[in-house]
Amino acid sequence: MMEEKSVDHLLEEAYGAAVEIMKTRAVSFYQAFRLLPEDRFKGVAAVYALCRAADDIADREEALHQPGQTRQSLDDLESALVRYYQNGMRPLDVPPVLTWWKALEDTIRRFNVPMGSFLQQIEGQRRDLAFEEMRTLEDLIEYSRLVAGSVGTMLLPLLAEDHADIQDPDWQLACEHLGIGMQITNILRDVGEDLRLRNRIYLPTDLRLAFGVSRDELAALAGTADGQAPRVIPDSIVALWEHLAAIADPYYAAYEAWLCRFHPSCRLSLVAAARIYRAIADAVREAGYDCFSRRCYTSDAMRDTILREAAVFVESYPC
């Protein structure tokens, strides 16, 4: 009995660590998904903790100077996941630094989260380690599919209606598309930060050339050239930014046709998460398109408004 209590206590601590990571590192997600039933909410937090860890490995400073060591960290994370699945989902011994790992194991087992989605996530992070500028829009979409579309398919089993066919390829694609839309928004929010801190430009080269936007111009805006970002964003960059924002819109919309297949207790959180994240683009617009010298966020008031509107939408949706 004492041993079982100890296991339960460790699992509770692991879920607590995962929730704290999401609360502090993903305010928009936390605000939306905290409305879920507790078991599903904690599962979402556990999945997020894994994705956050993989992303942090690829983004930390060592990745620029010691890519081999960083790649090994991603390989180790992938190896642990593969061993867990191949060993019949029996608990593994992992480094203590992975404080959320037991929660992830429990979530995978209870909700039958597919391994392939996790492997796609890690592969996407590997692409950041050997980063090459996106040459085309297709390159950007494929990258976004790996690092964010995978999150959509990871969460599907946690949010779906009981006994729903989560293997439906069209439903999976709709969830994947929502993640792609969110990743494009992410990129549009973090243009300056990605260039200044990581020397990465995710805006496709062919589109930059079509809109007359040079790398030097982006570097100057990000403050990497002279240490100070100009206050006025050139019209050419605004036009490119809006072009990509418009491309993201249909990716956001795809999941709505499947709303009735999601569990009734999850629909509000899903709609709220999509709308809150999409509203980050409006926050950038309100900042005069300055996605270079700062990171733009939705305000508490804006998120509250979106939650109310999402509740009305879900209540009136013909399920």
Side-chain angles (χ1 to χ4, degrees):
M1 180 66 68
M2 290 297 292
E3 181 180 356
E4 186 174 343
K5 285 185 178 179
S6 176
V7 170
D8 288 345
H9 180 69
L10 290 173
L11 184 59
E12 183 179 348
E13 285 188 339
Y15 273 117
V19 169
E20 187 62 25
I21 289 169
M22 187 164 70
K23 183 178 181 180
T24 56
R25 300 292 302 278
V27 175
S28 296
F29 276 167
Y30 178 81
Q31 290 276 44
F33 287 119
R34 65 186 173 86
L35 304 173
L36 291 171
E38 184 179 10
D39 62 332
R40 295 177 190 257
F41 167 66
K42 292 194 301 185
V44 169
V47 169
Y48 175 81
L50 178 281
C51 297
R52 181 76 270 159
D55 189 60
D56 283 349
I57 289 171
D59 282 352
R60 63 193 183 191
E61 186 176 351
E62 291 90 337
L64 295 175
H65 309 295
Q66 298 174 306
Q69 179 177 326
T70 305
R71 180 177 290 273
Q72 185 61 53
S73 296
L74 283 175
D75 290 347
D76 291 344
L77 193 59
E78 180 181 69
S79 176
L81 281 164
V82 171
R83 282 190 290 120
Y84 179 65
Y85 279 94
Q86 291 182 343
N87 291 342
M89 297 186 182
R90 290 191 293 272
L92 300 178
D93 291 326
V94 296
V97 68
L98 301 180
T99 55
W100 41 266
W101 179 266
K102 294 301 179 186
L104 180 67
E105 288 184 337
D106 187 61
T107 296
I108 291 172
R109 179 183 56 78
R110 289 191 302 116
F111 291 98
N112 197 25
V113 184
M115 179 175 67
S117 298
F118 291 115
L119 300 186
Q120 286 178 1
Q121 169 70 208
I122 292 173
E123 178 57 29
Q125 302 303 336
R126 285 197 184 98
R127 294 195 179 192
D128 274 339
L129 294 184
F131 184 77
E132 295 181 0
E133 290 189 14
M134 308 292 161
R135 293 171 297 171
T136 66
L137 177 61
E138 289 72 22
D139 291 340
L140 174 60
I141 298 302
E142 173 60 11
Y143 169 79
S144 299
R145 185 186 71 83
L146 291 172
V147 299
S150 61
V151 181
T153 53
M154 285 177 208
L155 295 184
L156 176 55
L158 283 74
L159 305 179
E161 177 69 278
D162 296 336
H163 311 300
D165 178 16
I166 60 173
Q167 300 303 320
D168 186 320
D170 292 330
W171 192 9
Q172 290 185 344
L173 185 62
C175 294
E176 187 175 85
H177 278 189
L178 177 57
I180 291 172
M182 289 179 168
Q183 182 61 24
I184 294 173
T185 298
N186 236 7
I187 288 167
L188 292 174
R189 179 193 63 190
D190 297 339
V191 177
E193 181 179 307
D194 286 332
L195 181 50
R196 182 170 57 254
L197 300 182
R198 304 176 190 100
N199 196 33
R200 298 175 189 162
I201 296 177
Y202 292 95
L203 308 178
T205 302
D206 61 350
L207 288 180
R208 285 199 295 106
L209 294 175
F211 282 86
V213 176
S214 69
R215 180 186 177 92
D216 288 345
E217 189 174 20
L218 294 173
L221 285 164
T224 58
D226 58 10
Q228 186 136 20
R231 294 183 180 179
V232 178
I233 308 301
D235 290 343
S236 58
I237 291 179
V238 173
L240 170 59
W241 192 98
E242 286 289 2
H243 180 77
L244 286 168
I247 288 171
D249 286 344
Y251 284 100
Y252 272 104
Y255 81 96
E256 290 185 3
W258 300 88
L259 189 60
C260 296
R261 288 213 195 175
F262 290 95
H263 195 278
S265 67
C266 301
R267 292 168 190 162
L268 175 56
S269 288
L270 178 62
V271 174
R275 293 188 175 197
I276 288 173
Y277 220 86
R278 190 176 187 177
I280 292 173
D282 290 328
V284 176
R285 293 181 180 105
E286 290 178 6
Y289 296 92
D290 183 8
C291 51
F292 295 93
S293 66
R294 54 176 161 170
R295 175 177 280 201
C296 298
Y297 297 95
T298 54
S299 65
D300 290 340
M302 182 183 293
R303 289 194 293 270
D304 287 342
T305 298
I306 292 171
L307 282 172
R308 289 194 298 271
E309 292 174 348
V312 172
F313 176 80
V314 170
E315 184 67 26
S316 62
Y317 200 86
C319 286

